[in-house]
Amino acid sequence: MNIAPGKTEVSNVPFDQARVDRLMEDAGIDVLFATSKHNTQYLLGGYKFIFFAAMDAIGHSRYLPIVLYEKGEPEHAAYIGNKMEGGEHQNHPFWTPTLHAACWGTLDAANLAVEHLKQIGKSAARIGIEPGFLPSDAYALVRKALPDAKLIDATGMLESMRAIKTEAELEQLRIASELITDSMLATIAWAREGTTKTDIIERLRREETNRGAHFEYCLLTLGSSHNRAASSQAWKKGEVLSIDSGGNYHGYIGDLCRMGVLGEPDAELEDLLAEVEAVQQAAFSKVKAGTLGGDMISHAESALKASKVAAYTDFFAHGMGLITHEAPFLMTNHPVAYEGTYAAKPLEKNMVLSVETTMLHPSRGFIKLEDTVAVTDTGYVMFGDRGRGWNRGGIS
């Protein structure tokens, strides 16, 4: 299906057009050429093609969705997708005035994008691309076909675009967090003496799926081990369990960590988890619109430095939304490789943060809490706020 761009006003743009236009202007971008699944989903108002939700490869190439958006000209917007997406459009029409549901690989998608840019008179424009998500063959085609265009890295601009969540996005993130938390607590209660890590991870996958979440991963430890990979290791009485899972609800991430114990926690375990909780609370106390991101980080790090478990405990915080690490970027290369460019900027209302404190205790094992909070004008709202103490295994 091919709908030629018109001059009629587009009234159903699913994002804050004025804000996106301003970010594009600041970045020196005339046209967005978005190719990542998360940014095309955002620009399409939440849509992601289910056929390629868990894979990209097909035949000799791969799926390459493309959203083209010209600054201030939504009537020139286009979506370029797979041939099967024509059916999706019939049921729930895309907002973009132009749709090319015609592609089976990277080159046919890139060629249609080039033709569209020429049609709207932007063959020599400043085009914002995603280098990390634009295959080399497609990039080469665009570069050759549009020799007068200036290709600009739009990654930072697109991250800023997604940093402030809408109320609808916050609700998706809340639901995702609730579903993941409920699934982890149910899995801990189900697991008992002799249950292996592989069995526990599979049980969590089922719990999340049955609740309507899409399972992404589970990082699991038992006993004194710090190894979070699946294995035949079995849970024993008195041992701790750390369960850290990421899943999504309609593309929005739930990423939390909770603790279990097979039996009753002894005084030392209660004390160790309280040390982790104290660092978490120190971070939460500085979460508020207007607070510098770096001030929140330094306050939590100061609390950790004063803790008796500081030698084997780490604090980390990062933004999250459609992906697990996105703006605001608060810490540099800790542990993911990016710059903490938001540390010197104030937190803003409706940013969403993952806050995590991880203890690698030399004898008691991996003890961690990871929580999700949304920034408000007066503080924060926590998603999935339960099960943050010691949860007993083998009780269901």
Side-chain angles (χ1 to χ4, degrees), residues 114-272:
V114 166
E115 292 305 312
H116 182 80
L117 291 169
K118 289 179 178 178
Q119 187 176 2
I120 63 174
K122 291 298 174 182
S123 58
R126 300 171 299 175
I127 300 172
I129 64 170
E130 298 185 74
F133 297 92
L134 183 59
S136 61
D137 58 353
Y139 174 85
L141 186 153
V142 173
R143 183 69 284 169
K144 182 177 180 180
L146 302 175
D148 297 325
K150 182 178 182 181
L151 302 185
I152 297 172
D153 185 347
T155 303
M157 177 257 135
L158 290 165
E159 292 288 349
S160 295
M161 174 186 72
R162 302 197 322 275
I164 310 299
K165 273 56 177 180
T166 65
E167 293 301 321
E169 289 183 289
L170 291 175
E171 180 63 8
Q172 302 282 56
L173 285 160
R174 183 193 67 78
I175 294 172
S177 300
E178 299 286 339
L179 296 179
I180 302 304
T181 301
D182 287 347
S183 298
M184 292 193 299
L185 296 183
T187 298
I188 294 171
W190 166 84
R192 57 202 67 243
E193 187 176 11
T195 307
T196 68
K197 291 177 73 177
T198 299
D199 290 337
I200 295 169
I201 292 170
E202 173 59 18
R203 178 70 180 210
L204 180 66
R205 184 190 67 78
R206 295 183 183 186
E207 292 284 352
E208 292 183 11
T209 301
N210 289 342
R211 286 173 168 80
H214 179 82
F215 176 80
E216 298 279 358
Y217 62 83
C218 175
L219 303 174
L220 183 74
T221 69
L222 296 177
S224 60
S225 173
H226 300 158
N227 186 313
R228 300 203 284 172
S231 74
S232 60
Q233 181 186 357
W235 206 7
K236 299 176 182 178
K237 284 187 176 180
E239 288 187 338
V240 305
L241 172 155
S242 168
I243 189 165
D244 185 334
S245 181
N248 76 69
Y249 182 75
H250 296 289
Y252 286 85
I253 298 297
D255 180 17
L256 303 102
C257 185
R258 294 293 181 260
M259 297 300 303
V261 61
L262 195 54
E264 292 297 319
D266 56 38
E268 183 183 34
L269 288 180
E270 294 280 16
D271 184 52
L272 292 174

Side-chain angles (χ1 to χ4, degrees), residues 293-363:
D295 288 349
M296 183 268 285
I297 299 296
S298 61
H299 188 67
E301 289 179 331
S302 294
L304 176 56
K305 186 177 180 180
S307 170
K308 61 187 179 183
V309 300
Y312 39 82
T313 304
D314 181 68
F315 172 77
F316 182 49
H318 57 89
M320 60 183 295
L322 281 169
I323 59 177
T324 53
H325 285 256
E326 63 177 45
F329 299 106
L330 300 169
M331 304 178 75
T332 297
N333 300 330
H334 189 102
V336 183
Y338 52 71
E339 295 295 318
T341 52
Y342 280 73
K345 300 178 183 179
L347 297 174
E348 297 184 59
K349 180 182 178 181
N350 289 7
M351 284 182 168
V352 177
L353 311 176
S354 177
V355 179
E356 46 190 297
T357 302
T358 304
M359 180 190 303
L360 303 182
H361 194 276
S363 62

